[in-house]
Structure formats: C-alpha cells, structure tokens
Amino acid sequence: MSEELGVAARRFEVVGGGAEEPAPHRGSPVPLIRSLLGSSLVMLRKTAGLTGEEVVRMGAIGSTTTLSRVENGDPKARVTEAMVRGLAACYGVAEDSADFWALMQRWERLSSATTAWWDPYGDVLQADFCDLLYMENLASKITVCESTYVPGLLQTPRYMAAVMNLPFRGVPADRDRIQQRRDVRRQRQRLLERDNPPELTAFIDEAVTRRPYGGPQVLREQLRHLFNLCENQEAVHIRILPLASYEHAAPLSPSSTLLGFPPEQQMPEALYAESPNVAGTWVYEEVQLDLHRAALLGVSKHALDKAETMAFLKARLAELEDLV
C-alpha cells in the first residue's frame, strides 16, 4: 500500500518546515535548487566516506567554509560547473553514472533558473508555497488529502472564487489579493494539462461535497467537474472518504500534499501540510512523516474506489439538482 501511495519513508531535509512565522516570499526557485544541489553533494561526500577537511586536502575545493556554504545552499556561495565536476570526481562519481547525471542536472537548473511564473505574485505567496509550485512540476505522482475544500488543482473558477472570498472585509486590498490568488491557482492548474502530467490521486472528505461554498449551483458545478475528471482523465484519481470511515481512519492534517518523483530525480518523497488560511509547511521530521504515512494508509484503505466515488458523486448531483 505504501508503494501505491508513494508515501515518504525518509527525511526530506532541504525544504525545511515547522516555523511558527511564515517565511517571506521566495520568488524564483533558485534557493530551493541550491538546497537540492547541496544535499546531493553532501550525500555523495558521505557515500565516499570523506570529511570536509579531506576534500580540501585533496584539492577539490578551497576551504571547508566554502564547502559548507555550498552544501548548505548559501545564496552567497558561488557555484561553478568546474567546482561541481571537481567535487564529483573527488567523490569517485563516474561521469556516465546516474548520480553524476542527476547532480549536473541540478547544477544546470541552478545556472538557468532566474525567474519563475509566480514571481509577479510575491505579495500573496509564502516561500514554502513557492517551493510547492516548483516541486509539483518535478513530481511524477501527487497525492492530496483534503478535509475542508476541493483540492486547488481541481477547483472550478466559481468554486475557487467562493472559497477565496472567505474571509473578505470588503476593502480594495482584499479584492486585489483575491484576484492574484485566483490567477496563481488557475496557472497552477495547467500542470494537469501538459502532455505528460503527474499522476494525481485526490482523497476528498465527504463533508467537502456538502459544504455549499457559493451556493448549491456552484457546488453542483464543482461536483460535476469532479465526476467528469474521474470518468475521463486517466491521470486523475478521485476518491471520496465517507463520514462513516472516521470510525477507522482520519487524515492527520486538514490539507496535505505528498509528492513522489521519478527515479532520475534521485529525490525522496516530500510532504506539504497546511490548514485553511494558514501558511503551509514542509513535514520532514521522521516521527511526523510516520504519522502522516499511517494516516494516509488508513484513508486509502477506507476511501471509496473509483466506481463507488462516481456513484456517490452522481447521487450528490441528483440531490443538488432539486436545489438549483
């Protein structure tokens, strides 16, 4: 079952999380790529059984301070192709190996990544969410579990507008922020429209299908969209979690996103958790990952399968038809 979910079993150290105060907007993915590159170099050095001092004595880099800055993703550290190749050679990484290919791929991303499509929306995005946008584009599998709203990747425009209008104080600044958030979400949804989209599994609490954000007509339109996706999109798997299943299973967070990556990325799975109107965070502590894994396994076991989900949605659409 864990292979089906792609649930994280290892610590994901490079994006961090758990801070009480939201980090500032990160903009382009450069800081994250630096961290990914640094973590790769740490792994290769440790695999080679070398300390920082030994790497310096072997002439692969000038000082342990510089090596530490590179490995920790310090934005002030200058990382050149020659430096990365030299460290790889020092660690005995053959140029025709998968490790070398993955390492150089990350350096190439670092050298070319200067802007991201979400940069213009810095006023409404937090750093960890920017990392999520970047990581979603690298992922081959995305598993979401939602207890409050329909997952953002699957929301219709009117449902999206309804949930984003809560809370709304009626001031122009709020209106502008809501519009920017809607623009980001619509752009994010294009991920599922590309030629080779990630496989998306969405576990949705039954209660979500009964909350009339925007009114019955908006909700019915949203549920019809979910039904159509479930019926027609091979890469999208929608599963309803019945209220009765809470006797046996429950998600650990109101909203969680699990990302799995193709083997060539050489990246462990990553878990992003958030609550409504609260900045999300990356979960990387081993104990917390184990708890999230157990919760997702339970949800997967007790959620409706495809046929049952489609029958449930069809019944809800019929119920709502009398209200619109």
Side-chain angles (χ1 to χ4, degrees), residues 28-31 33-34 37 79-81 104-117 119 134 138:
S28 74
V30 169
I33 301 173
R34 282 185 177 274
L37 176 62
V79 184
T80 66
E81 180 177 5
M104 296 312 300
Q105 185 182 54
R106 290 179 182 179
W107 180 84
E108 289 171 3
R109 287 194 187 124
L110 177 62
S111 65
S112 61
T114 55
T115 60
W117 64 258
D119 277 351
Y134 179 69
L138 298 181

Side-chain angles (χ1 to χ4, degrees), residues 182-254:
R182 290 172 64 184
D183 291 344
V184 169
R185 186 157 297 175
R186 284 196 294 265
Q187 178 75 9
R188 181 187 175 202
Q189 290 176 342
R190 294 183 182 178
L191 176 72
L192 301 179
E193 301 172 4
R194 70 189 192 190
D195 292 338
N196 185 30
E199 183 178 359
L200 173 66
T201 299
F203 296 103
I204 303 174
D205 193 310
E206 176 185 343
V208 172
T209 72
R210 302 187 182 279
R211 295 192 182 103
Y213 293 111
Q217 186 175 12
V218 171
L219 178 58
R220 190 174 191 277
E221 179 184 83
Q222 175 64 73
L223 297 186
R224 169 60 66 180
H225 180 59
L226 294 181
F227 183 91
N228 291 339
L229 288 172
C230 193
E231 183 177 38
N232 301 313
Q233 294 292 328
E234 293 184 0
V236 177
H237 313 288
I238 298 171
R239 299 180 61 188
I240 299 297
L241 181 65
L243 296 178
S245 68
Y246 276 76
E247 180 181 354
H248 309 287
L252 194 60
S253 171

Side-chain angles (χ1 to χ4, degrees), residues 42-258:
V42 170
M43 179 191 69
L44 294 173
R45 176 173 59 78
K46 290 184 176 179
T47 300
L50 297 173
T51 65
E53 289 80 4
E54 290 171 330
V55 173
V56 172
R57 286 199 295 269
M58 295 170 71
I61 201 164
S63 68
T64 56
T65 299
T66 300
L67 179 61
S68 177
R69 289 172 60 190
V70 171
E71 291 183 343
N72 288 310
D74 188 333
K76 296 181 180 180
R78 182 169 178 265
V79 184
T80 66
E81 180 177 5
M83 175 189 294
V84 175
R85 287 180 175 274
L87 289 170
C90 177
Y91 303 153
V93 181
E95 293 194 3
D96 59 352
S97 68
D99 284 340
F100 183 83
W101 182 88
L103 185 67
M104 296 312 300
Q105 185 182 54
R106 290 179 182 179
W107 180 84
E108 289 171 3
R109 287 194 187 124
L110 177 62
S111 65
S112 61
T114 55
T115 60
W117 64 258
W118 54 84
D119 277 351
Y121 305 101
D123 291 341
V124 297
L125 299 181
Q126 297 295 326
D128 283 339
F129 186 76
C130 290
D131 286 345
L132 175 64
L133 295 175
Y134 179 69
M135 300 289 272
E136 283 181 337
N137 281 277
L138 298 181
S140 56
K141 289 185 177 181
I142 301 176
T143 301
V144 298
C145 187
E146 290 283 353
S147 301
T148 308
Y149 308 117
V150 170
L153 286 170
L154 306 178
Q155 291 179 4
T156 60
R158 291 207 298 169
Y159 182 92
M160 181 192 309
V163 299
M164 287 187 175
N165 276 328
L166 300 173
F168 177 60
R169 298 171 296 174
V171 298
D174 280 359
R175 187 176 294 106
D176 292 343
R177 288 175 64 85
I178 290 170
Q179 184 58 52
Q180 289 186 70
R181 290 174 61 200
R182 290 172 64 184
D183 291 344
V184 169
R185 186 157 297 175
R186 284 196 294 265
Q187 178 75 9
R188 181 187 175 202
Q189 290 176 342
R190 294 183 182 178
L191 176 72
L192 301 179
E193 301 172 4
R194 70 189 192 190
D195 292 338
N196 185 30
E199 183 178 359
L200 173 66
T201 299
F203 296 103
I204 303 174
D205 193 310
E206 176 185 343
V208 172
T209 72
R210 302 187 182 279
R211 295 192 182 103
Y213 293 111
Q217 186 175 12
V218 171
L219 178 58
R220 190 174 191 277
E221 179 184 83
Q222 175 64 73
L223 297 186
R224 169 60 66 180
H225 180 59
L226 294 181
F227 183 91
N228 291 339
L229 288 172
C230 193
E231 183 177 38
N232 301 313
Q233 294 292 328
E234 293 184 0
V236 177
H237 313 288
I238 298 171
R239 299 180 61 188
I240 299 297
L241 181 65
L243 296 178
S245 68
Y246 276 76
E247 180 181 354
H248 309 287
L252 194 60
S253 171
S255 173
S256 58
T257 301
L258 179 77

Side-chain angles (χ1 to χ4, degrees), residues 243-290:
L243 296 178
S245 68
Y246 276 76
E247 180 181 354
H248 309 287
L252 194 60
S253 171
S255 173
S256 58
T257 301
L258 179 77
L259 303 170
F261 304 94
E264 61 269 18
Q265 295 287 355
Q266 294 192 334
M267 291 168 57
E269 296 91 346
L271 184 67
Y272 181 81
E274 58 185 333
S275 298
N277 298 312
V278 177
T281 184
W282 291 94
V283 177
Y284 63 90
E285 293 294 339
E286 194 67 36
V287 172
Q288 289 298 312
L289 277 177
D290 285 343

